[in-house]
Amino acid sequence: MHYIHQIPAYVLLGLTRGSMYALIALGYTLVYGVLQLLNFAHSEVFMSGAFGSYIVVHAVVGDGKGTPSWAVPLVIVIGLLSGAVTGASVAWTLERVAYRTLRRRGAPKLAFLISAIGASFFLSQLAGKLFNRFRGNGFPKYFDQNRQVLRISTARVQVFEVVIILTAVIMMIFLDRLVAQTKLGRSIRAVAEDAPTAALMGIDIDRTISRTFVIGGALAGAAGFLFGTAFSFSNTVGFDQGTKAFAAAVLGGIGNIRGAMMGGLLLGLVEALVPPIPHIGIQWTDVVAFVVLVMVLIFRPTGLLGERLGRAA
Amino acid sequence: MYKRSLARLGVLGLVGVLALTACSSKKKTGSGLTGGSSGSAASGATIKIGFEGPLSGDNAQLGINEVNAVQLAVDQANANNTYGFKVALVKSDDVGDPAKAPTAATALQQDPAILGVIGPSFSGATKAVGASYDAAGLVLISPSATNPTLTTLGFKSFHRVVPPDSLEGKEAGDYLAKKAKKVFVVDDLSDYGKGAADAVEAELKAKGVASERQGVDAKTTDYSVIAHQVQASGDDALFYGGYDTQAAQFAKALKAAGFTGLTMTGNGGKSSKFTEGAADAGDNWLFSCGCLDATVAPQAKDFSAAYNAAFKTDPSTYSPEAYDATNAMLTAIKAAGASPTRAKVFAAVNALDFKGITTEIKFEPSGEVSAQVINLYQQKAGKIGLLGDINTQS
């Protein structure tokens, strides 16, 4: 069938993919905002969320057979929460062990980067050692996630796609409000804007940074659950998704929360819409994604919405 | 102050765990290189043979299927003194990766006591090291490297006991041509996957069946876009050239996309990992494979039982082939006389005529085995079973 007819279907797939990119990208952008640090171990926080939620979901539903349908939303919420808790705790520990110690000693920026990459390898290999190195782990099938709920032209909207997009939207609105309106959000913005002054104004910088990691970790952990349920997960799943999400954060303007959401969605849409065009081909997916990134950066070097957490959010 | 020491403790702990993992992994590679449980030959001469294949990483399952069978053949030879000499096995892990294969190959080539090597398991790895085995004068019998070009690159050392993907692809293409009007062909951009897909596509073209082609990087986890494209194409069959884990993920995505046509993959996809990863989404998938299912073939019953007793699991894809390759190699070493050298073993392998459990092993000058049968398998209710010779299936 003709490509044009399939556009609604690809838009749907792109939104699903992009929602997960956006959730991970937020973690990169939040941490960059407060620390000007590229937290390369964030991809492994995402991976940990998948494993953590798998353990909990598996403990709750077993192999998934005979789970009553009324319990399914509950299991999904449990999965999301356990993913978020795992992600948050891994991110918190990561900040304590890999970054705070360096910060206390006033280490140069490069040391943070090396520490981040080291932590990333460590977490990925640790998961491989603790669990397995199989690339195709799947969650128990406790409901028919492919059941069609809605049909818009060629786009057959399935249950779990709705779950992914809804969850992402709710979490993003929640985060946006949190940063804009709460006391914690104000301190995050203050630290991002000017940390020494924020400290003089009585903001506990360490605590703010720690909480920023926890928020970013929770989002990525929840994304880990969504990704693992929709596709599959492994100890190496973080690298690819992490690289893409980081690109999404840069695309939107790193340090900018709304930018990360937009960047993630845009990247997902581009990856789903462009490669299936006749004569392009799926094998060019990554190329297409990074060409778009480069093009955006040529015309807007600070990303779509510009850098800086403090100002834009 | 308290907080600071807590953080220090954390760092110390991290360093400690890192050091521990480093130690244990070192130990593992150490025993892998010097290993072989049968190294302690009490009397008579000890002959060493090597194994090169993936023992870790994503593709380790295939290597483990093979190395277990090689180990079994070696242990049996030692226990029964079948060949009149003791055999020690040296395992070398190449992760199935062309970039890591040269190191793994060098480790075997530099041990002068090694007279022959079973492997490499993977086509890409074989391409990377074929010339260096030639230079070392060390003969290879691979149980599973099926890329067609391997026997045309001039590697004198390379022999294989399985048919090339070109034959498998041709017969798989014939089968698809009987079943479908239009076929969607996808590969994983690897040497093996592209080779298999090319062969299928060429045969479909020769039979006048329409096809279209896409490639998806093997690192992909999200197959939803390509799966939708396959579904939207309206084609009534799909062939995937690639390995088990990826085929499983693709199978899941195809089910989600609602593709109901015939689905087929080659020997690289046929393994327990496919079944494990795809679960019910893998049901009805077909597999073409120049390999033998040891759990059903009557002549492999003894092997299957011994394998199960030794490793507490059934032999899987390429286990019987690796077992045959090992016994063929040992037969050749025996035929090379009382004081075998690499050169004598090399000549003996070329002159070999050995009746194994999978097929009669007799090499053509190119290094291909003369007897070549392609079987068709299918997953039903979560288990891959043999349907029979692909040529007789309709």
Side-chain angles (χ1 to χ4, degrees):
Chain A
M1 253 201 277
H2 209 273
Y3 170 73
I4 304 283
H5 295 145
Q6 300 300 330
I7 285 181
Y10 291 127
V11 167
L12 174 68
L13 295 174
L15 285 177
T16 317
R17 189 184 277 214
S19 302
M20 286 182 285
Y21 284 158
L23 285 179
I24 310 170
L26 285 167
Y28 283 103
T29 241
L30 280 167
V31 168
Y32 185 85
V34 295
L35 278 182
Q36 280 78 53
L37 161 73
L38 298 179
N39 177 17
F40 276 115
H42 188 60
S43 50
E44 264 46 64
V45 173
F46 161 74
M47 180 271 299
S48 316
F51 276 100
S53 55
Y54 171 80
I55 291 169
V56 174
V57 169
H58 189 262
V60 172
V61 299
D63 65 354
K65 288 190 187 90
T67 307
S69 53
W70 58 264
V72 168
L74 200 67
V75 178
I76 293 177
V77 171
I78 290 174
L80 279 170
L81 284 178
S82 52
V85 169
T86 316
S89 14
V90 170
W92 183 83
T93 317
L94 186 70
E95 194 269 332
R96 276 287 158 128
V97 177
Y99 302 135
R100 184 171 292 191
T101 43
L102 293 177
R103 212 162 62 235
R104 288 277 168 80
R105 285 173 175 71
K109 284 259 142 84
L110 195 62
F112 284 89
L113 204 63
I114 300 294
S115 184
I117 293 169
S120 171
F121 276 117
F122 173 75
L123 286 171
S124 165
Q125 295 307 316
L126 184 69
K129 226 175 162 47
L130 286 179
F131 307 107
N132 60 35
R133 294 175 190 277
F134 180 42
R135 285 185 62 122
N137 294 307
F139 273 75
K141 294 257 171 291
Y142 48 91
F143 68 110
D144 179 15
Q145 58 191 51
N146 300 324
R147 204 176 73 206
Q148 186 177 319
V149 288
L150 188 70
R151 189 178 177 117
I152 308 165
S153 170
T154 48
R156 297 177 302 113
V157 186
Q158 299 174 351
V159 181
F160 206 66
E161 288 170 327
V162 176
V163 173
I164 290 173
I165 295 172
L166 261 184
T167 313
V169 168
I170 293 171
M171 290 179 97
M172 287 191 271
I173 291 174
F174 176 74
L175 178 71
D176 199 65
R177 295 297 94 196
L178 179 110
V179 172
Q181 290 171 351
T182 65
K183 188 157 174 262
L184 173 62
R186 269 205 305 282
S187 24
I188 291 177
R189 280 181 290 140
V191 173
E193 189 84 20
D194 186 345
T197 314
L200 290 176
M201 298 294 177
I203 290 173
D204 184 339
I205 295 190
D206 276 346
R207 189 180 294 166
T208 308
I209 290 173
S210 194
R211 289 187 178 165
T212 311
F213 268 86
V214 166
I215 296 169
L219 294 172
F225 165 75
L226 294 173
F227 189 88
T229 308
F231 308 115
S232 55
F233 63 98
S234 65
N235 67 316
T236 53
V237 76
F239 184 78
D240 258 27
Q241 291 300 307
T243 320
K244 289 289 175 57
F246 175 61
V250 174
L251 190 64
I254 188 135
N256 185 320
I257 290 177
R258 287 186 181 163
M261 300 174 188
M262 217 175 108
L265 288 176
L266 185 70
L267 197 68
L269 282 173
V270 166
E271 282 192 1
L273 275 167
V274 179
I277 294 174
H279 308 297
I280 291 189
I282 307 286
Q283 72 219 63
W284 298 102
T285 303
D286 291 356
V287 178
V288 166
F290 285 99
V291 164
V292 169
L293 177 67
V294 170
M295 296 303 278
V296 168
L297 292 184
I298 287 174
F299 294 105
R300 286 193 64 93
T302 54
L304 289 171
L305 297 187
E307 279 177 21
R308 292 298 296 191
L309 183 76
R311 232 178 291 137
Chain B
M1 210 47 220
Y2 165 74
K3 271 190 175 169
R4 191 163 167 176
S5 57
L6 190 77
R8 248 186 220 162
L9 206 67
V11 172
L12 268 178
L14 188 70
V15 169
V17 176
L18 268 172
L20 275 176
T21 46
C23 287
S24 67
S25 66
K26 200 184 285 165
K27 219 188 290 161
K28 214 182 261 169
T29 47
S31 70
L33 284 172
T34 55
S37 62
S38 44
S40 54
S43 64
T46 299
I47 300 287
K48 278 190 184 175
I49 61 167
F51 172 83
E52 187 196 324
L55 301 175
S56 64
D58 284 351
N59 299 312
Q61 188 59 49
L62 203 75
I64 291 164
N65 291 347
E66 292 176 2
V67 82
N68 281 349
V70 174
Q71 186 72 58
L72 180 65
V74 166
D75 289 347
Q76 287 179 343
N78 286 332
N80 308 331
N81 200 22
T82 325
Y83 299 99
F85 50 79
K86 291 277 177 197
V87 190
L89 172 63
V90 182
K91 302 169 189 169
S92 194
D93 180 8
D94 68 5
V95 202
D97 180 349
K100 299 204 170 106
T103 320
T106 309
L108 297 175
Q109 289 157 5
Q110 285 181 344
D111 182 345
I114 295 178
L115 297 180
V117 170
I118 309 302
S121 307
F122 276 47
S123 301
T126 309
K127 263 189 199 168
V129 297
S132 71
Y133 277 106
D134 278 4
L138 191 54
V139 68
L140 296 168
I141 302 182
S142 172
S144 59
T146 48
N147 186 292
T149 59
L150 291 175
T151 46
T152 61
L153 293 171
F155 299 150
K156 291 201 162 32
S157 54
F158 182 72
H159 301 74
R160 59 179 159 207
V161 298
V162 284
D165 293 329
S166 48
L167 181 74
E168 187 186 310
K170 183 178 175 299
E171 301 202 351
D174 281 343
Y175 179 79
L176 286 169
K178 279 189 269 185
K179 293 285 200 180
K181 287 184 193 62
K182 192 152 179 285
V183 183
F184 206 114
V185 181
V186 180
D187 70 74
D188 69 347
L189 310 178
S190 72
D191 273 344
Y192 158 70
K194 245 178 101 24
D198 283 345
V200 168
E201 206 181 17
E203 182 64 13
L204 286 169
K205 205 170 178 187
K207 293 262 165 180
V209 176
S211 66
E212 56 192 300
R213 178 73 176 269
Q214 286 284 353
V216 183
D217 193 291
K219 288 200 304 290
T220 309
T221 315
D222 176 353
Y223 282 83
S224 59
V225 175
I226 178 74
H228 180 81
Q229 203 179 10
V230 172
Q231 198 271 332
S233 69
D235 295 355
D236 44 8
L238 166 98
F239 182 86
Y240 178 68
Y243 293 109
D244 44 9
T245 312
Q246 286 76 17
Q249 291 168 320
F250 195 13
K252 280 210 293 200
L254 281 167
K255 186 170 182 250
F259 182 68
T260 51
L262 188 152
T263 43
M264 185 172 187
T265 182
N267 61 65
K270 179 189 165 295
S271 92
S272 54
K273 293 235 151 177
F274 175 85
T275 309
E276 191 186 327
D280 59 338
D283 283 350
N284 295 326
W285 270 68
L286 294 159
F287 310 86
S288 61
C289 190
C291 57
L292 182 86
D293 189 339
T295 53
V296 294
Q299 74 272 28
K301 230 173 84 188
D302 291 346
F303 162 73
S304 194
Y307 188 102
N308 199 311
F311 307 108
K312 310 282 171 269
T313 170
D314 276 335
S316 187
T317 308
Y318 290 127
S319 300
E321 284 74 14
Y323 181 76
D324 271 1
T326 312
N327 280 317
M329 182 67 83
L330 295 175
T331 309
I333 292 173
K334 192 179 180 206
S339 55
T341 61
R342 282 186 180 179
K344 284 185 191 165
V345 172
F346 208 120
V349 166
N350 282 327
L352 194 67
D353 186 353
F354 171 79
K355 183 96 186 71
I357 54 172
T358 59
T359 181
E360 183 176 8
I361 297 171
K362 198 171 165 183
F363 294 109
E364 290 173 2
S366 62
E368 296 285 7
V369 67
S370 354
Q372 304 187 324
V373 178
I374 307 291
N375 287 317
L376 187 67
Y377 294 84
Q378 186 171 36
Q379 177 174 326
K380 282 176 190 158
K383 221 169 147 42
I384 298 176
L386 178 68
L387 296 181
D389 187 335
I390 194 168
N391 285 324
T392 62
Q393 301 294 311
S394 55

